[in-house]
Amino acid sequence: MLSSPSQAEDVVQDSLASVWLTRHRLDPDKPIGPYLTTVVLNRCRDRLRRRKVAGFFGLSGDDELHSIADDLPGPEALAVSREELNLVQAEIARMPVRLREALVLVTIEGRSQAEAADLLGTTEKAIETRVYRARNRLKERFEKL
């Protein structure tokens, strides 16, 4: 969602701390997984909104936008794979938030379309459409390379 592992880790840690502090309000009969996912998604959305506002005002909203790649020597195949992964991550980061959320939940996290629909407050058909569109964007982008 955030296209930065360290920012994603920060969001997860903040979310877990927040849930821990408000744990007395949780319903013990409901599963915690979907609730935690919703909290993390909302924190990601907040961070993306702050980036957008910072960008609007000409401020740097993304500290790691131009992060330096690891310069440890390795085989050429590893370098090519890393470059391809960076290109995919960058392309996913450019997607609209709705497409990115659906793609990450279904394709990367391995959740069902029903679970993703429930977490995002939409229908399974909408999730199916979003994932289809996100995959097509990636396919079109990388067929050109």
Side-chain angles (χ1 to χ4, degrees):
M1 288 293 301
L2 300 173
S3 67
S4 166
S6 64
Q7 287 186 14
E9 290 170 358
D10 289 345
V11 167
V12 170
Q13 287 178 354
D14 290 345
S15 300
L16 289 174
S18 173
V19 170
W20 178 255
L21 293 173
T22 60
R23 67 188 180 277
H24 62 279
R25 290 191 253 158
L26 295 175
D27 184 355
D29 297 330
K30 292 187 178 179
I32 190 76
Y35 178 74
L36 286 174
T37 302
T38 301
V39 171
V40 172
L41 279 172
N42 286 336
R43 295 279 172 130
C44 287
R45 290 174 185 146
D46 289 344
R47 191 166 285 214
L48 290 171
R49 274 189 226 107
R50 281 194 300 265
R51 275 190 204 167
K52 196 172 189 178
V53 170
F56 178 76
F57 289 109
L59 304 171
S60 174
D62 189 3
D63 298 335
E64 298 179 27
L65 184 61
H66 301 291
S67 63
I68 299 172
D70 186 9
D71 59 350
L72 292 176
E76 186 175 321
L78 179 61
V80 170
S81 295
R82 187 174 292 151
E83 181 64 26
E84 289 172 350
L85 180 60
N86 288 338
L87 289 171
V88 170
Q89 287 176 334
E91 194 61 33
I92 290 172
R94 281 193 286 270
M95 286 183 186
V97 174
R98 289 178 180 236
L99 295 182
R100 189 177 341 153
E101 289 173 341
L103 183 70
V104 168
L105 287 172
V106 174
T107 305
I108 297 172
E109 287 190 10
R111 295 186 182 265
S112 69
Q113 290 180 357
E115 286 177 311
D118 198 38
L119 288 169
L120 298 176
T122 189
T123 65
E124 284 185 59
K125 188 63 177 173
I127 295 298
E128 180 183 347
T129 302
R130 291 174 188 175
V131 170
Y132 176 79
R133 288 180 181 165
R135 286 180 177 164
N136 275 346
R137 279 184 181 219
L138 290 174
K139 182 180 174 185
E140 288 172 7
R141 169 72 171 112
F142 293 105
E143 281 180 346
K144 297 175 185 176
L145 295 179

